[in-house]
Amino acid sequence: MTYETITVERRDTGVAVLTINRPEKLNALNKQVHTEGVAALEDLKRDDSVRVLVITGAGEKSFIAGADISEFAGQTPVTQRNLFHEKTFFNSIDSFPKPTIAMVNGFCLGGGNELALACDLRVCSGNAKFSQPEINLGIMSGGGGTQRLTRLIGEGRSMEIMLTGDMIDAETALKFGLVNHVYPAAELEAKTMELAEKIATKAPIALQLCKEAVKFASRSNLDEGLRREVDLFAICFSTEDKQEGVSAFLEKRKPNFKGK
Ligand code: COA
């Protein structure tokens, strides 16, 4: 499939890289990016050669500078609600069954931060800047930001980011737990790939079930979560990869997981 606003690269390491490719607009998310992003995720979901997905923005200046503000003029409450209520890019990332990593290179603003929040892990360059600046436009976050940011970093910190619209730097994002790692810009891609490739060597079904269990933790109470965990854990015992993992340990060799 060919796209105009994104690129998709499949590497032989089991890692795919989806790049938002509008560097001249700092990779702002227009409707076409949303549509193409959702279509690409559907495709990547079904491709067994893809075990981990990295999402990034083209160029060194910006990951994503938010929603494309030039499209706001034509929006009515109904069209805007439909855009964000249906199968959004954000929610498609959130429900993507394989591990996802946001590789944040520069500005990570508004919908860009919401997109990063929908990923499982976030790594960034030292020059990254994060904010939810919607408040400066007289609106608020609508791509999941108020919910996902608050669950990730807590109400007080989330509230300050949401209510001030101020940018925070990479070190503050690390301190807040918004990102997992900060790397010098020149090392960002190599370090991200190291992390992605490590995860890509693990058993795909166990990764998927584990991800589902961890995500369920912030969407349920403890008793429901513990029950769900046991069920998902039990499913692992039906896989060939579980036999392979255990045999490899006992035979003192590296496992070769096949996703079966
Ligand atoms: N939507 C549409 N276009 C955007 C954009 C956005 N969110 N963010 C940047 N752009 C465009 C600019 O309009 C400019 O286009 P032009 O060259 O055709 O005029 C281009 O990207 C480069 O941006 P520019 O503002 O010139 O870069 P800068 O380095 O001076 O400033 C930012 C960078 C990120 C501080 C600034 O672009 C900005 O504040 N962007 C909006 C961020 C925002 O509010 N996002 C949330 C939207 S809900």
Side-chain angles (χ1 to χ4, degrees):
M1 215 177 277
T2 54
Y3 304 106
E4 289 175 1
T5 62
I6 62 170
T7 61
V8 178
E9 181 200 349
R10 289 165 165 84
R11 301 192 177 181
D12 57 14
T13 51
V15 178
V17 182
L18 190 162
T19 304
I20 314 300
N21 192 24
R22 303 184 71 214
E24 71 290 351
K25 295 289 175 192
L26 305 186
N27 304 315
L29 300 173
N30 63 7
K31 280 188 219 152
Q32 192 175 355
V33 176
H34 280 278
T35 306
E36 293 187 348
V38 170
L41 290 175
E42 279 301 315
D43 202 29
L44 291 163
K45 187 168 32 178
R46 287 192 224 99
D47 184 343
D48 289 340
S49 73
V50 175
R51 295 193 173 188
V52 176
L53 175 63
V54 171
I55 302 183
T56 193
E60 284 166 17
K61 187 172 171 182
S62 178
F63 172 65
I64 299 168
D68 190 322
I69 299 171
S70 69
E71 287 186 341
F72 280 9
Q75 293 286 21
T76 67
V78 173
T79 57
Q80 189 60 48
R81 189 166 198 264
N82 286 343
L83 181 67
F84 273 16
H85 216 267
E86 299 298 317
K87 191 168 191 179
T88 63
F89 197 10
F90 310 112
N91 291 342
S92 295
I93 294 169
D94 192 335
S95 62
F96 192 70
K98 307 169 194 189
T100 54
I101 304 174
M103 181 166 77
V104 176
N105 46 324
F107 290 118
C108 182
L109 314 178
N113 197 42
E114 292 176 299
L115 197 143
L117 286 165
C119 293
D120 301 324
L121 302 169
R122 284 150 293 282
V123 296
C124 74
S125 54
N127 67 337
K129 295 259 187 295
F130 300 81
S131 80
Q132 292 294 155
E134 294 90 341
I135 203 74
N136 298 326
L137 300 170
I139 56 172
M140 59 177 277
S141 303
T146 61
Q147 303 306 300
R148 292 194 181 101
L149 184 64
T150 304
R151 278 168 167 77
L152 186 66
I153 69 170
E155 189 174 302
R157 286 169 167 169
S158 174
M159 201 66 97
E160 186 171 348
I161 289 171
M162 291 288 167
L163 299 184
T164 65
D166 286 348
M167 286 190 201
I168 60 170
D169 62 16
E171 287 307 323
T172 308
L174 184 66
K175 193 174 75 187
F176 283 5
L178 175 51
V179 296
N180 297 75
H181 303 283
V182 180
Y183 300 116
E187 292 172 26
L188 178 65
E189 177 163 357
K191 292 287 188 189
T192 307
M193 288 307 147
E194 217 173 276
L195 177 62
E197 285 164 19
K198 180 192 285 185
I199 297 171
T201 64
K202 315 290 180 196
I205 298 171
L207 282 175
Q208 180 174 343
L209 299 175
C210 183
K211 170 171 170 168
E212 186 179 328
V214 173
K215 279 187 169 273
F216 197 66
S218 59
R219 296 164 195 212
S220 64
N221 65 40
L222 183 60
D223 288 338
E224 286 170 352
L226 292 173
R227 270 197 300 275
R228 177 74 73 101
E229 185 191 76
V230 171
D231 290 343
L232 296 169
F233 170 69
I235 293 171
C236 295
F237 281 72
S238 69
T239 64
E240 287 177 23
D241 282 345
K242 173 254 170 190
Q243 304 293 358
E244 167 64 7
V246 172
S247 301
F249 176 80
L250 296 174
E251 292 161 17
K252 301 189 189 304
R253 61 174 172 83
K254 281 196 167 164
N256 179 17
F257 294 121
K258 299 207 167 92
K260 293 187 175 160

